Amino acid sequence: MYAQMVKSTGTLMSREDMSPQEAAFQDRVDAGDKIEPQDWMPEGYRKTLIRQIGQHAHSEIVGQLPEGNWITRAPTLERKQILIAKVQDEAGHGLYLYCAAETLGVSRDELTEDLLAGRMKYSSIFNYPTLTWADIGAVGWLVDGAAIMNQVPLQRTSYGPYARAMVRICKEESFHQRQGYSIMMKMVNGTPEQREMAQDALNRFWYPSLMMFGPSDKDSVHSAQSMAWKIKMNSNDELRQKFVDQTVPQAEYLGLTVPDPELRWNEEKGGYDFSEPDWDEFYQVLRGNGPCNAERIGARQKAWDDGAWVREGLMAHAEKHARRVAAE
Amino acid sequence: MSNEWPLWEIFIRGQNGLSHRHVGSLHAPDAEMAVKNARDVYSRRNEGVSIWVVKSADITASVPGEKGPMFEPSQSKIYRHPTFYEIPDDVGHM
């Protein structure tokens, strides 16, 4: 999930506490009606959505960094082209989402500045380094796989612009996961060293991928209101279980071992039992103490600062040109 | 506060014979850059043969609060639909 622990404003509101306007809004959401930018909406709905869509957008943009790291070192020209296309897609996904957030009355610059100032977050997963080429495979397979799990139901979210952005993103996301798995297949069929690299990448990315779905439901304090508003469609544990059930057979096909000694099939529940990730590590990473937090924000800050003259220059040119046309 | 690039609404014709359709929006300093950016943001997979860009600020929209008076009058005019009229089967397809 690219948006973790999005703070919802307040606890779940009961029907009795709602104003007539709020009740009418909830009725629309319950009926499956889409909310559009000009419609009346509760302030909490608007604020929570800005946080969630903003966090999602930031994740797409920051998510380019760990993969961009390997563009110059991709093993073949074909893999390089594929990786460039994938990273470009992530930029596009970030742009769709920023535009969706902007329909709620926040500007692009505000969103960027909130990210740089640490007031907004991005997914914890992108604070882990990509150390080998196999990591690019693991990121596509596991990280994009986990993202798809979360994003497919969000196509039905109550906020129109967010749902539409999700439809576009989901159409493109499947390529990301498949190209990742294809890298993994190549690696496990290579030399013993390459096989070892693939196993090592799975070892390092398994638990951080499970963390992408956010804390366990019992510790997930913001969910109820967001679910009532249909801006969160499934519980964290529900999606995590689905992800494990889908991914374990894929790991088996690769001949790789999921780094969890407790992992076993539970016939009764029709799913795997598995170990929870280390939640202390998760909170540490969210607090800014992950292996790459400083590097990621540093790169975003540098891009923002270095691009300032381009943004200003092009705007100045456009204004000058418009004045000239007006004078003619 | 910086001088943010204006927002543009992007319309793409998927193939000749179809109308341009709204696909999303983006920021660009001017129309020419908006078209170039739209190509990269909204047609990376052969989605179009033609792009229109319109400054978002130049769009005039109907007021959501006036949805009732605006659109309800047509609801009662069911005689505008062909199914309102019963034509005997004997007449054949019409």
Side-chain angles (χ1 to χ4, degrees):
Chain A
M1 180 166 182
Y2 278 179
Q4 298 156 321
M5 296 194 65
V6 176
K7 278 201 192 80
S8 175
T9 39
T11 45
L12 180 61
M13 197 182 248
S14 71
R15 277 270 166 186
E16 297 81 67
D17 294 336
M18 287 182 192
S19 69
Q21 211 168 19
E22 285 164 341
F25 177 85
Q26 189 62 51
D27 286 341
R28 286 187 63 192
V29 171
D30 291 346
D33 204 1
K34 296 283 182 222
I35 309 301
E36 293 295 341
Q38 303 298 322
D39 295 345
W40 183 89
M41 60 187 83
E43 195 49 24
Y45 178 84
R46 197 181 70 83
K47 282 197 174 142
T48 308
L49 264 180
I50 290 177
R51 270 192 222 115
Q52 179 171 332
I53 303 174
Q55 197 182 109
H56 199 153
H58 294 324
S59 299
E60 300 283 358
I61 298 298
V62 175
Q64 294 178 100
L65 298 169
E67 293 186 294
N69 181 35
W70 278 89
I71 288 175
T72 55
R73 286 172 283 166
T76 66
L77 184 57
E78 186 187 55
R79 288 290 180 193
K80 186 176 191 155
Q81 284 179 309
I82 293 170
L83 187 57
I84 290 172
K86 187 197 184 260
V87 171
Q88 192 188 12
D89 271 357
E90 306 299 0
H93 295 179
L95 294 179
Y96 308 154
L97 287 159
Y98 280 131
C99 282
E102 286 174 77
T103 63
L104 293 156
V106 63
S107 77
R108 180 77 56 94
D109 284 0
E110 282 171 300
L111 288 167
T112 307
E113 281 157 9
D114 280 351
L115 170 73
L116 296 178
R119 290 186 293 268
M120 285 183 91
K121 303 216 173 300
Y122 54 90
S123 177
S124 58
I125 190 74
F126 302 118
N127 291 312
Y128 291 88
T130 43
L131 303 175
T132 73
W133 174 250
D135 287 8
I136 298 305
V139 166
W141 170 37
L142 301 172
V143 176
D144 289 279
I148 290 171
M149 210 108 259
N150 167 246
Q151 290 174 157
V152 166
L154 277 175
Q155 293 179 100
R156 293 179 284 110
T157 186
S158 63
Y159 189 57
Y162 192 25
R164 290 192 285 275
M166 278 302 130
V167 170
R168 292 194 72 88
I169 289 174
C170 286
K171 255 191 221 159
E172 299 175 348
E173 202 79 72
S174 175
F175 141 58
H176 297 180
Q177 191 185 17
R178 291 170 70 118
Q179 66 85 34
Y181 197 73
S182 142
I183 291 174
M184 294 305 270
M185 288 199 299
K186 195 92 187 164
M187 297 293 287
V188 299
N189 289 310
T191 63
E193 288 81 4
Q194 286 168 332
R195 202 185 162 71
E196 193 42 53
M197 278 164 74
Q199 180 63 55
D200 173 59
L202 173 59
N203 291 350
R204 282 181 291 105
F205 276 94
W206 175 254
Y207 286 106
S209 299
L210 296 188
M211 292 178 197
M212 288 176 70
F213 299 95
S216 171
D217 290 351
K218 59 183 192 305
D219 304 316
S220 185
V221 287
H222 308 298
S223 291
Q225 183 60 69
S226 288
M227 286 178 99
W229 280 333
K230 291 192 188 163
I231 56 184
K232 184 182 172 88
M233 310 301 284
N234 306 83
S235 85
N236 296 350
D237 286 338
E238 208 180 320
L239 290 174
R240 190 168 12 248
Q241 180 71 53
K242 224 174 141 190
F243 174 75
V244 171
D245 293 345
Q246 176 191 283
T247 309
V248 170
Q250 295 167 351
E252 281 167 0
Y253 180 85
L254 293 171
L256 296 178
T257 310
V258 173
D260 179 1
E262 306 302 320
L263 184 83
R264 53 185 56 88
W265 178 255
N266 181 332
E267 190 62 52
E268 210 171 300
K269 75 170 180 187
Y272 287 91
D273 290 333
F274 57 95
S275 305
E276 298 248 323
D278 177 354
W279 292 117
D280 288 339
E281 178 184 320
F282 172 71
Y283 290 113
Q284 280 299 324
V285 173
L286 281 196
R287 248 173 251 134
N289 303 322
C292 298
N293 294 60
E295 190 184 329
R296 301 295 184 235
I297 286 296
R300 289 303 301 134
Q301 184 71 56
K302 186 176 185 310
W304 181 243
D305 294 342
D306 291 354
W309 71 272
V310 179
R311 295 194 299 276
E312 285 159 20
L314 285 177
M315 201 61 231
H317 172 78
E319 281 164 358
K320 195 164 120 189
H321 185 74
R323 272 199 305 277
R324 260 192 213 148
V325 170
E328 271 165 21
Chain B
M1 195 65 211
S2 61
N3 188 6
E4 209 171 312
W5 291 352
L7 194 65
W8 301 76
E9 298 303 323
I10 312 303
F11 299 81
I12 290 186
R13 185 200 296 284
Q15 59 189 68
N16 278 355
L18 297 179
S19 307
H20 285 76
R21 222 180 128 198
H22 184 244
V23 292
S25 46
L26 53 75
H27 288 273
D30 56 28
E32 193 190 332
M33 284 302 296
V35 171
K36 287 186 171 139
N37 290 351
R39 197 220 32 186
D40 290 341
V41 179
Y42 290 108
S43 70
R44 290 193 300 283
R45 287 175 176 78
N46 247 334
E47 284 102 333
V49 294
S50 164
I51 297 175
W52 285 354
V53 301
V54 181
K55 244 189 203 164
S56 309
D58 289 340
I59 290 180
T60 308
S62 59
V63 184
E66 290 168 12
K67 203 167 74 182
M70 187 87 167
F71 300 109
E72 270 163 24
S74 77
Q75 280 174 14
S76 57
K77 298 176 179 58
I78 48 171
Y79 46 81
R80 285 178 174 167
H81 297 277
T83 46
F84 180 75
Y85 305 93
E86 261 183 56
I87 306 290
D89 287 348
D90 295 346
V91 179
H93 175 73
M94 184 182 283

